[in-house]
């Protein structure tokens, strides 16, 4: 799925840092889930709420489930939406990057577009070399 002007990298970085800062990695690492612990489950529902409230309604409608929702499953569903078809996304972003020229764009707009292409390529595991 293609979401124009995606902020996936920002979103992902923010949540990865938040999970580490508050020692919540056990909620997003499949090997550490504690589904039989009531306190852990309550915290997990709070994280699900954070994740669901941080995405657009369009994305939420795609990923939401009525049951068996965990922070891990929600995060994987959101991530999957942005990383599906990563090879096609990489090819498209590389073509767009190579055809980009400044023209009438301000330097800020031009650099912003370059950064978006670089971020897209990094998101799909095809980072630009320096």
């Amino acid at each position: 799925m293609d979401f124009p002007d995606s902020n996936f990298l920002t979103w992902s970085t923010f949540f990865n840092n938040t999970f580490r800062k508050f020692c919540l990695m056990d909620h997003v690492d499949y090997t550490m889930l504690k589904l039989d612990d009531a306190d852990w489950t309550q915290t997990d529902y709070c994280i699900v709420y954070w994740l669901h409230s941080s995405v657009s309604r369009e994305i939420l409608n795609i990923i939401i489930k009525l049951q068996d929702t965990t922070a891990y499953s929600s995060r994987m569903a959101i991530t999957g939406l942005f990383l599906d078809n990563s090879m096609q996304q990489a090819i498209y972003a590389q073509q767009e990057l190579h055809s980009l020229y400044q023209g009438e764009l301000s330097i800020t707009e031009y650099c912003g577009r370059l950064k978006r292409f670089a971020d897209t390529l990094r998101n799909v595991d095809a980072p630009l070399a320096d």
Side-chain angles (χ1 to χ4, degrees), residues 61-117:
N61 287 336
I62 294 168
I63 64 132
I64 199 155
K65 295 182 195 177
L66 297 177
Q67 58 192 13
D68 300 328
T69 300
T70 63
Y72 172 79
S73 65
S74 293
R75 181 176 181 230
M76 294 307 295
I78 295 166
T79 300
L81 286 175
F82 287 94
L83 299 184
D84 280 350
N85 304 315
S86 58
M87 183 172 30
Q88 292 85 350
Q89 288 182 42
I91 291 169
Y92 176 77
Q94 287 170 345
Q95 288 173 340
E96 291 288 316
L97 175 67
H98 291 295
S99 66
L100 181 65
Y101 66 97
Q102 185 175 353
E104 298 293 319
L105 298 174
S106 71
I107 192 68
T108 304
E109 292 170 315
Y110 180 71
C111 289
R113 288 186 187 185
L114 288 174
K115 170 116 172 58
R116 279 194 301 275
F117 288 128

Side-chain angles (χ1 to χ4, degrees), residues 23-29 32-33 40-41 43-44 47 71-72:
C23 300
L24 298 170
M25 291 304 292
D26 59 332
H27 292 271
V28 293
D29 180 339
M32 300 169 65
L33 301 182
W40 185 93
T41 302
T43 301
D44 201 65
I47 297 169
Y72 172 79

Side-chain angles (χ1 to χ4, degrees), residues 35-52:
L35 300 173
D36 56 345
D37 181 319
D39 290 334
W40 185 93
T41 302
Q42 183 178 17
T43 301
D44 201 65
Y45 281 124
C46 289
I47 297 169
V48 169
Y49 175 79
W50 290 350
L51 292 169
H52 287 183

Side-chain angles (χ1 to χ4, degrees), residues 1-12:
M1 176 166 279
D2 180 28
F3 294 102
D5 299 325
S6 161
N7 66 346
F8 176 73
L9 180 64
T10 304
W11 178 89
S12 181

